Amino acid sequence: KSALLKRHTEKPQPNGRGSVESVDPNGNRMYTATSPMLSALSEEVSESHQPDGLVSALIALAGYLKKLETQAHLVHLNYEGSNFLPVHAFLKGQYEAHLAQFDAVAEYVRAMDHFLPMCNCGLKESVGGFENCKSYDGKQMLMTYLLNLDGLVDQATLIESMAGEARAIDVQN
């Protein structure tokens, strides 16, 4: 399997989908993230490696979603402030949505005839660029969660591009 992060010697070209595309010396397409949040997901994508690259990216996304679900749930429980009730209700909806998103991504992996890690430790190993809350300050917790939501969007954008290359229309949409 290819490494999660590839360095390029050529000047990469933006592809308009949240990543930069270039070609390695062997003619394989390479994707490099345009943000640090995505750099852990950038992988070699060639005709012979498209499904494995896409599956690896989907497993990393599933791990990220699981961490995001846990973070939203813990912020939901630990948040204090005058706006506690609306934030509490909002975050409940968020962690429930992240669980459904995790399930949907995991189903794509299984539909591609691959397995997910058997425990949370295996999922955590696939995740890069996730920020942990470092304070119980409500504003700081929400800002960290927001930063991680932005990382989720970046990852989904990269996977959409990879799925298009692999002609995995169900994943791309």
Side-chain angles (χ1 to χ4, degrees):
K1 290 189 178 185
S2 61
L4 287 178
L5 178 63
K6 295 285 185 179
R7 301 242 184 252
H8 304 287
T9 57
E10 297 179 11
K11 183 177 181 185
Q13 299 297 314
N15 68 4
R17 294 193 179 251
S19 64
V20 176
E21 185 177 313
S22 63
V23 178
D24 74 6
N26 297 324
N28 297 316
R29 284 199 174 137
M30 308 287 283
Y31 291 94
T32 303
T34 56
S35 79
M37 299 296 288
L38 285 177
S39 60
L41 281 180
S42 297
E43 294 196 24
E44 177 180 327
V45 178
S46 68
E47 288 301 316
S48 63
H49 290 98
Q50 282 179 347
D52 288 336
L54 180 57
V55 168
S56 295
L58 287 169
I59 290 170
L61 181 62
Y64 196 93
L65 283 163
K66 200 57 159 160
K67 286 186 81 164
L68 202 55
E69 175 205 350
T70 300
Q71 184 174 65
H73 203 159
L74 291 172
V75 173
H76 159 88
L77 294 169
N78 289 317
Y79 185 83
E80 291 181 344
S82 60
N83 57 348
F84 171 80
L85 290 176
V87 170
H88 190 76
F90 167 74
L91 288 170
K92 180 176 182 172
Q94 291 296 104
Y95 70 74
E96 289 172 346
H98 296 316
L99 179 59
Q101 293 158 355
F102 169 81
D103 190 67
V105 170
E107 292 291 340
Y108 285 131
V109 172
R110 291 298 296 134
M112 296 170 92
D113 202 27
H114 289 269
F115 292 104
L116 286 101
M118 287 299 291
C119 67
N120 194 37
C121 294
L123 279 176
K124 282 197 267 186
E125 289 175 7
S126 69
V127 176
F130 190 89
E131 294 292 323
N132 293 309
C133 292
K134 296 174 178 70
S135 167
Y136 283 94
D137 175 69
K139 183 178 178 180
Q140 290 300 318
M141 287 190 293
L142 291 174
M143 291 304 294
T144 301
Y145 175 69
L146 179 62
L147 178 67
N148 287 326
L149 282 177
D150 188 52
L152 177 66
V153 171
D154 289 345
Q155 289 181 34
T157 300
L158 180 61
I159 289 171
E160 177 192 16
S161 186
M162 293 173 75
E165 281 293 316
R167 297 189 179 145
I169 297 168
D170 53 341
V171 174
Q172 186 180 19
N173 291 327

